[in-house]
Amino acid sequence: AQKITQTQPGMFVQEKEAVTLDCTYDTSDPSYGLFWYKQPSSGEMIFLIYQGSYDQQNATEGRYSLNFQKARKSANLVISASQLGDSAMYFCAMRESLTGGFKTIFGAGTRLFVKA
Amino acid sequence: DAGVTQSPTHLIKTRGQHVTLRCSPISGHKSVSWYQQVLGQGPQFIFQYYEKEERGRGNFPDRFSARQFPNYSSELNVNALLLGDSALYLCASSSRGQSGNTIYFGEGSWLTVV
């Protein structure tokens, strides 16, 4: 069965420090995509970063980087220089192909608290 | 440009009723997918539509149905509502129906069943 595992229900980080949010995945599909989304209390899911299964280099988007270790099936999100506005739920997700389409599986999420 | 828009933003229904949720994708996006997010959990995939055809379905009962219109907007219908259907329903759009494309979410419809 395909699944996404986020083992950290909650994380605390000091403002301006870096933090790593863990994500492991399991799939037998050779072609897949990995995503991280941020969900503030308002509910909207905000796209942060994408990593394709065939990408050779780790994805980066501003202060966000994805530590992709394919053999270990992990896709950890690193947030550098944390800001108070980074406090939110963070979801790791995996996109898998279906016949003619796709489905996306989300992990349970990690709640990040940034301390001033 | 407008992002993904959903309506209504909040609604309350009673058990046994029917609900219709609506979604307008980002202009130019032809794929729409629906997710259910129960409080404290991650979103669960319900449906994906591309070019007005169902391309994927999650593990939801037949009470859940959806459709996509020629303008690529979409409706999610839920019949015979149960208390457990109370959740945030998220719609997402992407430019194509392929797994590599980023999907962009709307702000969701908060459904409470009493």
Side-chain angles (χ1 to χ4, degrees):
Chain A
Q2 297 83 17
K3 64 179 181 179
I4 294 282
T5 303
Q6 295 180 253
T7 57
Q8 307 154 312
M11 289 283 288
F12 286 86
V13 64
Q14 193 68 39
E15 190 180 12
K16 300 180 183 178
E17 293 185 349
V19 63
T20 298
L21 306 183
D22 295 340
C23 173
T24 58
Y25 62 92
D26 184 27
T27 181
S28 57
D29 190 342
S31 177
Y32 53 90
L34 295 160
F35 299 77
W36 278 90
Y37 287 87
K38 172 185 178 181
Q39 188 177 43
S41 56
S42 61
E44 183 180 6
M45 297 286 280
I46 302 169
F47 165 75
L48 296 178
I49 196 166
Y50 164 77
Q51 179 86 42
S53 59
Y54 295 115
D55 292 345
Q56 296 297 313
Q57 295 191 338
N58 288 343
T60 59
E61 290 284 351
R63 295 187 299 112
Y64 304 107
S65 60
L66 199 152
N67 184 1
F68 181 46
Q69 298 187 46
K70 193 171 183 178
R72 298 179 59 184
K73 293 188 175 181
S74 74
N76 299 339
L77 176 71
V78 180
I79 305 175
S80 62
S82 298
Q83 302 172 356
L84 295 178
D86 294 335
S87 294
M89 281 291 289
Y90 288 80
F91 290 97
C92 179
M94 178 171 63
R95 185 80 40 76
E96 293 183 306
S97 296
L98 300 172
T99 302
F102 60 83
K103 66 177 180 178
T104 304
I105 303 169
F106 285 80
T110 296
R111 183 166 294 280
L112 179 65
F113 300 91
V114 180
K115 299 179 292 183
Chain B
D1 286 343
V4 179
T5 57
Q6 293 185 243
S7 63
T9 54
H10 295 80
L11 67 165
I12 300 174
K13 293 284 189 177
T14 57
R15 283 176 294 176
Q17 284 190 314
H18 163 91
V19 68
T20 297
L21 306 177
R22 297 177 175 83
C23 173
S24 292
I26 291 172
S27 178
H29 284 191
K30 298 181 178 180
S31 176
V32 169
S33 49
W34 288 94
Y35 299 82
Q36 180 197 64
Q37 186 177 19
V38 174
L39 194 62
Q41 299 180 16
Q44 299 292 317
F45 172 74
I46 310 176
F47 289 109
Q48 190 233 338
Y49 277 77
Y50 178 66
E51 290 282 15
K52 302 178 286 295
E53 292 186 3
E54 182 184 303
R55 301 299 183 102
R57 173 186 285 255
N59 294 325
F60 280 81
D62 292 342
R63 299 184 296 107
F64 288 77
S65 63
R67 55 180 176 169
Q68 187 176 32
F69 299 99
N71 66 353
Y72 303 109
S73 66
S74 178
E75 284 183 353
L76 175 69
N77 295 284
V78 187
N79 292 322
L81 285 166
L82 304 174
L83 295 180
D85 295 330
S86 296
L88 174 66
Y89 288 85
L90 293 163
C91 174
S93 76
S94 65
S95 57
R96 293 183 295 174
Q98 296 176 2
S99 63
N101 291 98
T102 301
I103 61 173
Y104 296 91
F105 286 85
E107 295 189 358
S109 294
W110 293 90
L111 171 64
T112 301
V113 182
V114 297

